[in-house]
């Protein structure tokens, strides 16, 4: 048995070739939900859905977001209507009083659907409608995710990090904004001052996640702050990792990040934006997989290999290095 912690695109890319190394039937993926956002009344779970769509063979791997060849008729019409009605586009964060009214799942991350600032494909939207409706019927996010995973015929077990809402909020020099506004709308432009995982103090891990964390854990090359950080902020999560073998793949080659805003976010919360900073952020990691060009000296076992992942063959190569590192510390 092995458990992957997934957020952003790093770990999903690794999972693209992991089946050649780790039996999917014995693999669990715990996905970050700190990036979740309610848009126009529908709960969007980007990191859950990346794994869901990739496992279902429908992921748009050009963007690593949404469903390949999806149409956007609804999104297009939303923007046409807003323009015709003279409604301002861009993120329309709902008033503070609306953030905690109604469904608990939507806390601190609710946006109007007027001229959506995130492009949601039509088939993609059907997933969000189904998810939100099943939650409204009284199911937990874990139960709903299992239902959707069955619909997409996933080989691995997919779990949200918690059934409780956690919202990743980025404090910038231009004010506080939800991660999706910072990343999707602002393209990580504002300078990061801090990152808050609102709701994490009250969130708990489920029994299913607790069981998964009792197995050897792989932290893929995901963003340590906004992909893995929300998980670590939940009570008991980091403690569970300290009690099981953990191998982490660095998303950096020394001080160069492969992709995304990890460097700015790490600097913003006080970590050196580098492999050394990742090691500091992951005191529970027993071993690391680093790129062959990464000469960072760590105080833990290291397996070095070409860690760039541009397809399934690359992913399998890195997964084999992960397996080697796990064997060393298990």
């Amino acid at each position: 048995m092995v458990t992957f912690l997934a957020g952003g695109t790093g770990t999903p890319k690794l999972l693209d070739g992991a089946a050649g190394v780790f039996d999917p039937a014995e693999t669990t993926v715990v996905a970050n939900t700190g990036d979740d956002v309610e848009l126009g009344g529908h709960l969007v779970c980007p990191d859950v859905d990346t794994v869901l769509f990739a496992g279902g063979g429908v992921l748009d791997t050009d963007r690593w977001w949404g469903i390949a060849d999806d149409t956007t008729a609804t999104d297009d019409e939303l923007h046409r209507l807003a323009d015709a009605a003279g409604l301002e586009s861009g993120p329309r964060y709902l008033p503070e009083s609306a953030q905690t009214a109604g469904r608990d799942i939507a806390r601190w991350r609710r946006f109007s659907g007027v001229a959506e600032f995130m492009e949601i494909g039509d088939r993609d939207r059907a997933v969000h409608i189904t998810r939100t409706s099943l939650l409204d019927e009284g199911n937990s996010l874990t139960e709903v995710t299992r239902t959707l995973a069955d619909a997409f015929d996933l080989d691995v077990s997919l779990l949200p990090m918690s059934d409780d809402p956690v919202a990743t909020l980025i404090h910038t020099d231009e004010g506080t904004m939800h991660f999706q506004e910072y990343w999707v709308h602002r393209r990580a432009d504002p300078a990061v001052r801090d990152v808050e995982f609102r709701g994490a103090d009250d969130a708990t891990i489920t029994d299913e996640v607790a069981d998964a964390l009792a197995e050897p854990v792989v932290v893929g090359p995901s963003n340590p702050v906004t992909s893995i950080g929300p998980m670590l902020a939940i009570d008991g999560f980091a403690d569970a990792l300290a009690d099981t073998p953990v191998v982490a793949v660095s998303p950096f080659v020394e001080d160069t990040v492969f992709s995304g805003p990890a460097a700015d976010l790490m600097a913003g919360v006080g970590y050196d934006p580098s492999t050394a900073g990742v090691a500091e952020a992951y005191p529970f990691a027993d071993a690391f997989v680093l790129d062959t060009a990464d000469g960072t000296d760590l105080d833990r076992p290291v397996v070095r290999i070409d860690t760039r992942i541009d397809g399934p063959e690359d992913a399998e190569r890195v997964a084999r290095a992960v397996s080697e590192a796990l064997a060393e510390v298990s």
Side-chain angles (χ1 to χ4, degrees), residues 33-321:
T33 57
D35 294 358
D36 292 5
V37 59
E38 188 189 90
L39 193 59
H42 301 143
L43 183 64
V44 182
C45 300
D47 290 347
V48 171
D49 290 344
T50 298
V51 178
L52 191 69
F53 298 159
V58 299
L59 180 68
D60 182 344
T61 53
D62 289 332
R63 300 187 302 171
W64 282 85
W65 158 265
I67 293 176
D69 302 319
D70 205 352
T71 55
T72 57
T74 304
D75 183 83
D76 294 343
E77 181 64 9
L78 284 169
H79 283 267
R80 190 201 67 78
L81 281 172
D83 184 63
L87 297 170
E88 184 179 351
S89 61
R92 298 168 67 99
Y93 196 66
L94 296 182
E96 185 175 350
S97 60
Q99 292 297 323
T100 57
R103 290 190 297 272
D104 286 343
I105 60 168
R107 288 175 177 260
W108 316 291
R109 51 194 180 187
R110 305 183 81 176
F111 289 84
S112 168
V114 173
E116 293 174 337
F117 74 99
M118 298 171 68
E119 182 183 86
I120 307 294
D122 297 319
R123 292 176 61 198
D124 194 357
R125 193 180 305 275
V127 174
H128 309 322
I129 292 171
T130 301
R131 171 188 291 120
T132 309
S133 296
L134 288 172
L135 288 166
D136 284 344
E137 289 177 11
N139 297 283
S140 69
L141 185 57
T142 296
E143 292 168 337
V144 173
T145 301
R146 184 181 303 118
T147 297
L148 292 171
D150 288 343
F152 281 89
D153 199 25
L154 255 64
D155 293 330
V156 301
S157 296
L158 176 60
L159 300 171
M161 68 183 193
S162 177
D163 284 334
D164 301 311
V166 176
T168 298
L169 302 179
I170 312 299
H171 297 277
T172 79
D173 58 0
E174 298 183 28
T176 300
M177 58 190 72
H178 189 277
F179 174 76
Q180 297 299 348
E181 181 174 354
Y182 164 79
W183 177 233
V184 177
H185 181 65
R186 298 299 304 275
R187 303 298 183 189
D189 179 59
V192 178
R193 302 304 181 198
D194 201 1
V195 178
E196 174 190 359
F197 305 116
R198 189 169 295 178
D201 289 346
D202 296 321
T204 60
I205 59 175
T206 61
D207 291 342
E208 292 87 347
V209 168
D211 289 343
L213 296 181
E215 304 295 339
V217 170
V218 177
V219 183
S222 292
N223 186 318
V225 179
T226 54
S227 291
I228 305 301
M231 303 187 203
L232 302 181
I234 300 174
D235 185 47
F237 205 106
D239 290 340
L241 294 178
D243 292 334
T244 196
V246 178
V247 168
V249 183
S250 178
F252 287 82
V253 179
E254 295 185 353
D255 60 357
T256 301
V257 69
F258 276 111
S259 65
D264 290 340
L265 288 162
M266 289 186 69
V269 299
Y271 287 118
D272 187 61
S274 65
T275 289
V278 175
E280 182 182 357
Y282 295 165
F284 48 80
D286 301 294
F288 279 83
V289 173
L290 305 184
D291 193 86
T292 50
D294 192 331
T296 306
D297 185 20
L298 299 180
D299 60 354
R300 283 159 274 185
V302 171
V303 174
R304 285 183 167 84
I305 197 167
D306 178 1
T307 55
R308 179 170 292 279
I309 302 176
D310 291 326
E313 291 184 2
D314 294 336
E316 183 170 343
R317 179 186 64 248
V318 177
R320 292 195 184 282

Side-chain angles (χ1 to χ4, degrees), residues 8-49:
T9 63
T11 302
K13 287 181 177 179
L14 177 59
L15 288 166
D16 197 27
V21 181
F22 300 99
D23 182 357
E26 300 291 321
T27 300
T28 299
V29 179
V30 177
N32 169 47
T33 57
D35 294 358
D36 292 5
V37 59
E38 188 189 90
L39 193 59
H42 301 143
L43 183 64
V44 182
C45 300
D47 290 347
V48 171
D49 290 344

